[in-house]
Amino acid sequence: MKTVSATNQLPLKRNPFKWLFWVIIIVIMFIWAFAGIPFHGLQDSAGEVSKSIVSGIFHPDWAYVYDGSGEDLVGLTLQTLAMAFLGTFISAILSVPFAFWAARKGHSKVHMRSTSGKLVLTLIRTFPEIVLAIMFIKAVGPGSFAGVLAVSIHSIGMLGKLFSESIENMDGGPAEALTSSGSSHSQTLIFATLPTVMPEFLSYTLYRFEIAVRSASILGMVGAGGIGTPLLFAIQTRSWSRVGIILIGIIITVTLIDFVSGSIRKRLV
């Protein structure tokens, strides 16, 4: 009885028109989706406004960069960074107990407990920062304090989820070694669990800080402090040179934060 080697077998033929079928399906879906969007044309002032925006970006108001008043670009950018830093710092601390609550390890009772923790974290991060900022403005008044509260509360939901995944995926060897040697639960937590997951905790915190800087830049548009407030006023008054310098400042700030944070995270993990 002759056997046919795998190398002598002919390769299976693939349908060359399969990819074309899926392209047509995707195109049809996009056409169907955009067909339901009401479009009444561009406004008569669209061209003029677009030219003014572009001109403002390329001819920014350099006098607004720093004037010593604290309400200039430098002062409000530092305020935005402070809001993002404080909100991230608070959330990083408060997220740790939520993370251990939501971490899924062990028997069925632990699974039931972790399910409730994951549900709570999901409910927390359901509300965007801008919605939380509006709610806190009604409670504590407009200003950067409302922005810090919004960033910190929303970040608890995000960091708690990431922290819990780190706990679930960590190496349990050091904790098991201390437990088998008679260490208490608190000793195992302090000397084994936390040192194991701390590099990832710090990495996720830095990554969240990058996002918080972008969020804090927008929260000022609803009165929660930061650089967003003068940006909104400049747009409303059509001061496009002021808009241009604020956008340039935001771009430079976010780029520097991303670069520095990325470099630190590479060293941690």
Side-chain angles (χ1 to χ4, degrees):
M1 184 176 179
K2 296 182 178 180
T3 57
V4 182
S5 62
T7 56
N8 295 330
Q9 293 180 356
L10 295 176
L12 296 176
K13 292 184 178 180
R14 295 183 178 179
N15 188 356
F17 298 103
K18 185 176 180 179
W19 66 270
L20 182 60
F21 169 77
W22 288 111
V23 169
I24 293 175
I25 293 297
I26 293 173
V27 170
I28 292 175
M29 291 176 63
F30 270 94
I31 294 175
W32 174 76
F34 281 101
I37 300 177
F39 180 71
H40 305 290
L42 298 175
Q43 296 184 358
D44 297 334
S45 61
E48 181 180 353
V49 171
S50 300
K51 291 180 181 179
S52 300
I53 294 174
V54 175
S55 176
I57 293 176
F58 286 98
H59 299 85
D61 182 11
W62 295 108
Y64 183 68
V65 174
Y66 182 77
D67 57 16
S69 64
E71 297 296 325
D72 49 28
L73 180 63
V74 173
L76 292 175
T77 300
L78 292 176
Q79 183 184 101
T80 302
L81 291 175
M83 289 169 52
F85 176 81
L86 186 57
T88 306
F89 180 78
I90 294 172
S91 64
I93 296 175
L94 297 180
S95 296
V96 175
F98 282 95
F100 281 97
W101 179 14
R104 179 165 296 179
K105 275 194 167 188
H107 44 79
S108 59
K109 291 183 179 180
V110 176
H111 286 183
M112 294 175 62
R113 184 201 67 192
S114 66
T115 300
S116 62
K118 291 180 184 297
L119 178 61
V120 170
L121 291 176
T122 301
L123 292 176
I124 292 175
R125 66 175 181 271
T126 297
F127 299 95
E129 289 102 331
I130 195 166
V131 175
L132 292 173
I134 295 173
M135 296 169 60
F136 283 122
I137 286 173
K138 298 298 183 181
V140 302
S144 57
F145 183 47
V148 171
L149 292 176
V151 172
S152 59
I153 295 300
H154 182 77
S155 296
I156 289 175
M158 300 299 297
L159 286 178
K161 178 180 182 297
L162 296 173
F163 287 1
S164 65
E165 292 178 353
S166 297
I167 295 172
E168 292 174 353
N169 299 325
M170 74 173 186
D171 181 14
E176 292 176 0
L178 285 181
T179 302
S180 61
S181 64
S183 300
S184 64
H185 181 71
S186 59
Q187 290 174 332
T188 303
L189 175 65
I190 295 173
F191 295 105
T193 303
L194 288 179
T196 302
V197 298
M198 191 57 66
E200 290 194 12
F201 279 13
L202 294 176
S203 177
Y204 286 136
T205 302
L206 288 172
Y207 177 69
R208 183 60 197 171
F209 175 65
E210 298 175 15
I211 301 175
V213 172
R214 300 181 182 91
S215 300
S217 302
I218 303 300
L219 294 181
M221 291 189 171
V222 296
I227 196 63
T229 302
L231 177 61
L232 178 62
F233 290 158
I235 293 175
Q236 291 176 341
T237 58
R238 297 190 177 186
S239 179
W240 303 118
S241 59
R242 180 69 57 84
V243 173
I245 191 61
I246 293 175
L247 291 178
I248 291 173
I250 293 175
I251 292 171
I252 294 175
T253 301
V254 171
T255 303
L256 289 176
I257 293 296
D258 288 352
F259 175 76
V260 174
S261 176
S263 300
I264 296 175
R265 284 191 286 114
K266 287 180 181 178
R267 295 177 179 271
L268 289 175
V269 180

